[in-house]
Amino acid sequence: QVQLVESGGGSVQTGGSLRLSCAASGIMTYMAWFRQAPGKEREGVAAIYTGRGITFYHDTVKGRFTISQDKAKNTVYLQMNSLKPEDTAMYYCAAKGFGGVWTNASNYNSWGQGTQVTVSS
């Protein structure tokens, strides 16, 4: 397990941008961003296979969000552009080792406390 601390959330208008950061005490094999809106299940937004920098995205954010990493800083980022009201949620950073699909939250054993993203129309 690693300790994860997110930052960078906030409130923006439709079409705006935010960059989330996840500072980790160490880098696991997969680092991911999940989000959870009120009354909805937690869903995987993006993930990165840290060894090779291979990235994965939920269909709803492809072309708008970019996940990246700075290995020297043990930090993972989520650049979010062209934000929409439906992107409003609490965003969580998560980490796991090998095994299991990246979209399944139960496969992750490390979680941050979350950072709120609110997009107004």
Side-chain angles (χ1 to χ4, degrees):
Q1 286 186 332
V2 295
Q3 292 185 343
L4 305 172
V5 179
E6 303 98 333
S7 61
S11 297
V12 296
Q13 293 187 331
T14 298
S17 297
L18 285 172
R19 189 177 80 155
L20 306 183
S21 299
C22 173
S25 60
I27 293 291
M28 299 281 282
T29 305
Y30 286 88
M31 303 290 291
W33 288 95
F34 281 75
R35 66 186 179 188
Q36 188 167 19
K40 294 187 177 182
E41 293 186 355
R42 192 168 296 191
E43 66 175 4
V45 175
I48 185 166
Y49 172 32
T50 59
R52 296 190 175 186
I54 299 172
T55 57
F56 308 86
Y57 296 96
H58 191 280
D59 285 346
T60 60
V61 307
K62 284 181 180 177
R64 300 190 297 123
F65 291 11
T66 302
I67 188 171
S68 62
Q69 62 177 337
D70 184 332
K71 289 185 177 181
K73 295 182 178 179
N74 280 354
T75 299
V76 174
Y77 304 97
L78 185 68
Q79 178 67 44
M80 304 186 295
N81 298 328
S82 302
L83 283 162
K84 304 175 181 180
E86 50 264 45
D87 295 318
T88 295
M90 185 71 78
Y91 282 70
Y92 298 89
C93 181
K96 73 177 188 73
F98 281 111
V101 296
W102 75 268
T103 53
N104 190 336
S106 65
N107 291 327
Y108 292 80
N109 59 6
S110 299
W111 290 88
Q113 82 287 352
T115 185
Q116 178 68 37
V117 171
T118 302
V119 184
S120 59
S121 57

